[in-house]
Amino acid sequence: MSSTPTTRLTTTAVDAREGFDYWNDAVSSTFVPLECRTGTPAGFQGEIVNVSLGDVQLSLVTAAPHQVQRTRRGIARNDPGLLKVCLQLRGSGRIGQDGREAEMRPGDFTLYDTTRPYTLSFDDPTGFGAFVVMFPGDGLGLPRDTVNRLTAIRVSGTDGLGAVVSPFMRALAETMGTEAEVLPPRIALNVLALLETVYRQRAAVAPGEPERVSTARRLAIQEWLDLRLGDPELSPETIAAAHHISLRYLHQLFAEDGTSVSRWIKDRRLEGCRRDLADPMLVRFSVAALAARWGMFDAAVFSRSFRTAFGLSPREYRMRALPRPVTR
């Protein structure tokens, strides 16, 4: 099993008088440009352990009380378009974005978006621990406007799907604290799949949802499609028939998201191929085999579509994404 890139940043590496300045720089270099504040900078202590798994970064954060801001100035400096999910491990916290604020207790988690300002407050006098998952903005497979309605909403670690996902993430955090090198790259896909399931369900019942019935119907169809993306015979006609709706209504559901059925399927297939190409566990499979796995059997069409979407040919992307030359 190959090791995963791991870094550990700790204030114990510097003079105590420089600890908070070091922390401010460490937080920004780990995530995105952020501004940290504390009322007691003298003797400040904190540590961040990071594991990079392809496009997904897992971070275990422990620190003294302080506040963090993502400002418009920081966004202008660097806006990689990422999403973050924070699981509270110890102490309490508050995460605010888009006019909402989530009160976090151990086991709870919430979603926030680096493309817009947000605030994090960890004021427990005994300090706090948090597990942060950071990933590309399309990692949940949800439209951006849907994601915008889900930020800074507390997901309980003791109820519903949260009670399933929270212990899994907590176990990952405990592993990172002791033996991070054993985490396989495919763990990242599992984490995103679980989070996607949670937030797809939340999107269907989000408070104030103006088109709740149609949104829930569309998400149900998309979940059905995710299980069948490898089927080359998928078409709007077969999808509409399988869900006992008219073709016109099917197109209307996807048009509400600013896309089409065919475009959504193509984008999901390409994203699946991209993830497989970056997976060291799948190097024994050819590019064509991975494309076929996602229902894309025309090699020329697949290659053109992949280059248009990601700026590189499938083979070029694979060579850059994998840690060593690909051999089969």
Side-chain angles (χ1 to χ4, degrees):
M1 180 178 297
S2 61
S3 61
T4 53
T6 305
T7 60
R8 186 182 298 267
L9 303 173
T10 174
T11 55
T12 59
V14 299
D15 187 279
R17 293 168 297 181
E18 301 173 357
F20 192 69
D21 289 337
Y22 174 88
W23 181 256
N24 208 342
D25 292 339
V27 167
S28 290
S29 63
T30 297
F31 302 111
V32 290
L34 297 165
E35 296 180 8
C36 299
R37 294 186 175 87
T38 181
T40 56
F44 183 91
Q45 293 186 334
E47 180 179 79
I48 306 175
V49 178
N50 296 308
V51 175
S52 297
L53 302 173
D55 290 340
V56 179
Q57 176 178 290
L58 308 180
S59 300
L60 177 60
V61 183
T62 55
H66 68 287
Q67 297 78 44
V68 180
Q69 280 190 309
R70 174 69 163 157
T71 64
R72 297 192 184 281
R73 182 173 62 181
I75 294 170
R77 282 175 52 199
N78 183 13
D79 179 15
L82 302 174
L83 296 177
K84 298 165 74 175
V85 169
C86 178
L87 169 70
Q88 195 77 21
L89 297 173
R90 180 173 62 84
S92 61
R94 298 191 309 278
I95 298 180
Q97 188 171 47
D98 299 324
R100 294 180 293 270
E101 186 171 79
E103 294 280 348
M104 308 289 290
R105 299 294 177 185
D108 299 339
F109 59 92
T110 194
L111 171 73
Y112 48 112
D113 188 336
T114 67
T115 66
R116 298 187 307 287
Y118 61 77
T119 60
L120 312 176
S121 299
F122 303 102
D123 299 327
D124 193 308
T126 62
F128 74 96
F131 177 64
V132 181
V133 184
M134 187 166 68
F135 51 93
D138 59 358
L140 295 180
L142 294 171
R144 207 69 188 202
D145 63 333
T146 300
V147 171
N148 293 349
R149 296 194 295 271
L150 297 171
T151 55
I153 292 178
R154 169 180 166 270
V155 177
S156 171
T158 58
D159 299 322
L161 285 176
V164 176
V165 177
S166 178
F168 177 75
M169 292 198 293
R170 181 183 288 274
L172 280 181
E174 292 173 354
T175 299
M176 286 178 58
T178 56
E179 45 183 356
E181 69 277 7
V182 305
L183 291 179
R186 289 195 69 85
I187 282 289
L189 301 182
N190 296 332
V191 172
L192 290 187
L194 288 172
L195 291 175
E196 179 178 348
T197 300
V198 170
Y199 283 107
R200 278 184 180 276
Q201 184 186 68
R202 293 297 297 239
V205 297
E209 176 67 59
E211 301 284 350
R212 185 158 62 183
V213 175
S214 63
T215 299
R217 193 65 178 272
R218 183 177 64 250
L219 290 174
I221 293 173
Q222 289 172 347
E223 289 182 4
W224 183 88
L225 287 171
D226 272 335
L227 299 175
R228 296 163 175 82
L229 290 173
D231 181 359
E233 301 302 321
L234 272 182
S235 69
E237 291 77 13
T238 59
I239 297 166
H243 290 85
H244 309 289
I245 60 176
S246 69
L247 186 59
R248 179 180 179 183
Y249 183 51
L250 177 67
H251 287 306
Q252 179 183 328
L253 289 176
F254 280 79
E256 289 174 0
D257 255 355
T259 187
S260 67
V261 185
S262 299
R263 166 57 64 180
W264 190 91
I265 292 172
K266 180 179 179 181
D267 288 346
R268 294 290 279 179
R269 283 171 166 168
L270 288 172
E271 179 60 23
C273 289
R274 184 190 68 81
R275 290 180 180 175
D276 283 356
L277 289 170
D279 190 341
M281 302 290 287
L282 301 177
V283 295
R284 65 185 184 278
F285 296 105
S286 68
V287 170
L290 294 181
R293 181 171 178 249
W294 291 94
M296 306 184 79
F297 290 88
D298 188 316
V301 171
F302 166 66
S303 184
R304 286 196 302 270
S305 299
F306 192 95
R307 184 182 289 276
T308 299
F310 304 113
L312 296 169
S313 73
R315 286 179 176 79
E316 290 169 339
Y317 181 85
R318 181 178 235 181
M319 294 300 293
R320 293 193 183 189
L322 293 175
R324 58 180 62 85
V326 176
T327 58
R328 290 189 295 275

